[in-house]
Amino acid sequence: MNFNKILLWVNLFFLQSYLVRFSIGPVPTNLQEVLIGLNVVAFGWMLLKEKRFLRTVKDIPKHWVLLGFVVLTVLSFVIVRPPVNVDFIRAVRFLLFAVLLTFMFVQTFRTDMERRHALFVAGMGAIFFGIFSAIYNLAGQNVAYDYRLQGPLDSAVYLSYYLTPFFLFF
């Protein structure tokens, strides 16, 4: 198993690592962005090493769903400008990292079985995080320093966040 695949497995298991926030110099970031950045470097290195870089670039149009999502998002930014520039920057970063992670996923995990296993790992990570967060919240603490993740009963969004992995895999 190559380093790129290992990093992708780690990324999928720790999808909720966006809650671990810090700054690198003046740039605020989170653990998920750093992991995806490392994964992009490993993915690029793997493509160069296996001499698949140009073929992968030529494969980009095959991923029309990703391209369509990017085009629609850019179009929405042009039509409806976010009221605060920070929101715009945050949205662009979110879009960029989501598209990169998804592209690496479909390029690295080629078979249906690999993709199913990878989604299972992501689901297990979500379940693990949900259980950890629930216990942590019961202890009177909060996983997110900005108290965004209060617990499964605070809102429908939080409840769906906790229940979705169970409905997907069990």
Side-chain angles (χ1 to χ4, degrees):
M1 187 176 305
N2 63 30
F3 187 61
N4 172 55
K5 246 184 199 176
I6 293 169
L7 270 176
L8 201 49
W9 288 108
V10 169
N11 257 315
L12 291 171
F13 188 79
F14 291 108
L15 276 178
Q16 296 77 16
S17 63
Y18 69 89
L19 292 168
V20 181
R21 297 166 186 252
F22 51 89
S23 292
I24 298 177
V27 180
T29 189
N30 59 56
L31 185 57
Q32 185 183 41
E33 289 177 352
V34 171
L35 286 172
I36 292 172
L38 289 172
N39 211 156
V40 167
V41 171
F43 181 72
W45 180 257
M46 178 203 67
L47 292 178
L48 290 173
K49 194 171 95 174
E50 295 176 2
K51 297 181 176 139
R52 286 184 13 200
F53 186 79
L54 289 176
R55 187 174 60 199
T56 302
V57 170
K58 288 178 185 174
D59 278 352
I60 289 175
K62 281 197 235 175
H63 304 293
W64 60 270
V65 172
L66 281 175
L67 291 173
F69 184 67
V70 169
V71 167
L72 289 174
T73 304
V74 169
L75 187 62
S76 74
F77 285 147
V78 169
I79 294 171
V80 181
R81 180 93 175 151
V84 180
N85 200 31
V86 173
D87 291 340
F88 176 71
I89 294 168
R90 186 180 308 145
V92 168
R93 283 175 48 186
F94 179 77
L95 176 67
L96 173 70
F97 285 106
V99 167
L100 286 172
L101 185 64
T102 305
F103 183 73
M104 290 184 299
F105 179 93
V106 296
Q107 287 294 316
T108 302
F109 300 124
R110 297 273 183 179
T111 66
D112 285 342
M113 184 63 80
E114 277 185 320
R115 290 178 182 167
R116 254 191 301 260
H117 285 259
L119 289 175
F120 182 78
V121 167
M124 288 295 112
I127 290 169
F128 171 78
F129 181 78
I131 291 169
F132 172 78
S133 179
I135 292 169
Y136 208 65
N137 282 324
L138 288 173
Q141 304 296 318
N142 193 280
V143 175
Y145 79 93
D146 55 2
Y147 297 102
R148 280 207 267 158
L149 197 59
Q150 296 290 323
L153 302 178
D154 280 354
S155 73
V157 173
Y158 292 145
L159 182 60
S160 67
Y161 180 79
Y162 281 86
L163 293 179
T164 298
F166 293 102
F167 289 127
L168 286 175
F169 297 107
F170 299 110

